[in-house]
Every structure is written in structure tokens, then in C-alpha cells.
Amino acid sequence: MATVADMMSAEKRKRTMSRIRSQSKLENRITKALWAEGYRFRKNVRTLMGSPDIAIQKYRVVIFIDSCFWHMCPDHGNWPKSNQEFWNRKLGRNIERDREVNAHYHEKGWHIMRMWEHEFKEDFKGAIDRMTAFIEMAKFETMREKKIIPGIVIWLLTIPG
């Protein structure tokens, strides 16, 4: 008996699979929490390198929420035991791509944050708080670079002590 996979050529299967755009329940929960905090952003921006999960282009902010499996979390990532050659290539390339994306944004002067999915599962509120603090820091730095912040504020922030 033929399966559905047998009914498509490899080329058609690849094209079909490339059009699937899914978002995890966790990602949706995170973006709803950020939206409720008043942050406005774009999700999965395909025009930016790496299609960041969250992007605030005005402040040059990109945030990636990395799956412990697909991005090989040092705490929770584990290499599959079957078909090891395939998985070594696949997961190794994911790690390499993450490094390339990080380097790209650092070179461009963007603020990049990567968080593991387990950070949200362990302490959702704390992870959201770290994310919002990161956005606020990036917002402040961008405004300071554009000289939007009044001089007195910058002066107060530079006083040692």
C-alpha cells in the first residue's frame, strides 16, 4: 500500500514542505505576553537574516527563541541515536547557522538576544522580564545614539558612583 509520501516526487515534497509555516504554542504565548506589555514588533521576519522570532527594526532588536532540540541546548539537547549521520549534519548545521546569524547582527550593530525554550518553561514571567529589560536597554541605546534623549539624562547616567 502506497503512503502519501510515495505519491510526490522529492522535488514536489521539498516545495510543499518549504511552504509550511508553523508557530509553536510557546512562541504564541510569548508574543502575546510582549504585546500585552505594550511592545510592538514583527514575528518571523523573513527579510531579516535568520527570520528572527521577534524583530523591532526601529530599535535594531532581534530575538530568537531557540528550541532545546533543534539548536542543541547544552542543558537539554541530545543527539538522536538513530540515523546519526543525518542528525549530525542537520543539527551541526543549525548550530553553525546560529553563529553566522549572531555574527551578522553584531557586525551590523543590532541588539541580538537568544533565549532557550526551557527558560520560558521554567520561569515564564522571569524570562519575559529579561526579554523586556533587553528591549528597553536596546531602545535606550538606540535613542542615545540618535541623540533623542535629552542631555541631562545622559549626563545623569554617566555620573560615577
Side-chain angles (χ1 to χ4, degrees):
M1 184 172 163
T3 64
V4 175
D6 297 331
M7 295 181 183
M8 285 190 192
S9 68
E11 186 178 310
K12 186 171 182 180
R13 167 74 53 209
K14 185 175 181 176
R15 192 171 53 246
T16 300
M17 296 304 286
S18 73
R19 288 184 168 83
I20 296 173
R21 299 284 172 238
S22 65
Q23 295 173 17
S24 71
K25 290 178 184 176
L26 178 61
E27 185 180 324
N28 287 337
R29 196 171 154 221
I30 293 165
T31 55
K32 283 180 184 177
L34 280 179
W35 197 267
E37 293 278 335
Y39 293 98
R40 299 301 175 251
F41 51 86
R42 296 286 174 251
K43 292 169 49 172
N44 306 310
V45 181
R46 295 171 83 188
T47 57
L48 293 176
M49 185 174 184
S51 297
D53 297 304
I54 296 165
I56 306 174
Q57 294 182 37
K58 178 179 182 179
Y59 303 123
R60 297 185 327 243
V61 169
V62 288
I63 300 173
F64 294 88
I65 303 157
D66 291 339
S67 155
C68 289
F69 175 76
W70 291 107
H71 297 268
M72 294 308 298
C73 167
D75 297 335
H76 302 102
N78 55 14
W79 294 93
K81 300 205 182 337
S82 63
N83 203 2
Q84 287 185 332
E85 185 179 328
F86 168 80
W87 287 110
N88 287 345
R89 265 195 330 268
K90 174 73 174 160
L91 299 175
R93 178 63 186 125
N94 288 353
I95 294 167
E96 186 181 326
R97 188 179 309 110
D98 290 344
R99 288 186 188 127
E100 291 167 5
V101 168
N102 290 351
H104 169 80
Y105 286 111
H106 285 297
E107 287 170 14
K108 301 280 185 191
W110 281 57
H111 308 276
I112 180 171
M113 178 181 218
R114 286 192 175 272
M115 295 187 74
W116 293 108
E117 69 176 331
H118 73 258
E119 293 181 70
F120 293 95
K121 291 178 178 178
E122 292 168 0
D123 179 13
F124 187 82
K125 174 89 172 82
I128 292 294
D129 289 346
R130 285 191 301 282
M131 192 178 284
T132 59
F134 174 78
I135 294 169
E136 287 300 317
M137 179 271 311
K139 183 176 169 180
F140 175 79
E141 285 184 11
T142 302
M143 291 171 70
R144 187 181 66 203
E145 287 169 10
K146 293 180 178 180
K147 301 187 183 341
I148 296 171
I149 298 174
I152 189 72
V153 174
I154 293 172
W155 179 79
L156 288 173
L157 292 172
T158 58
I159 296 174

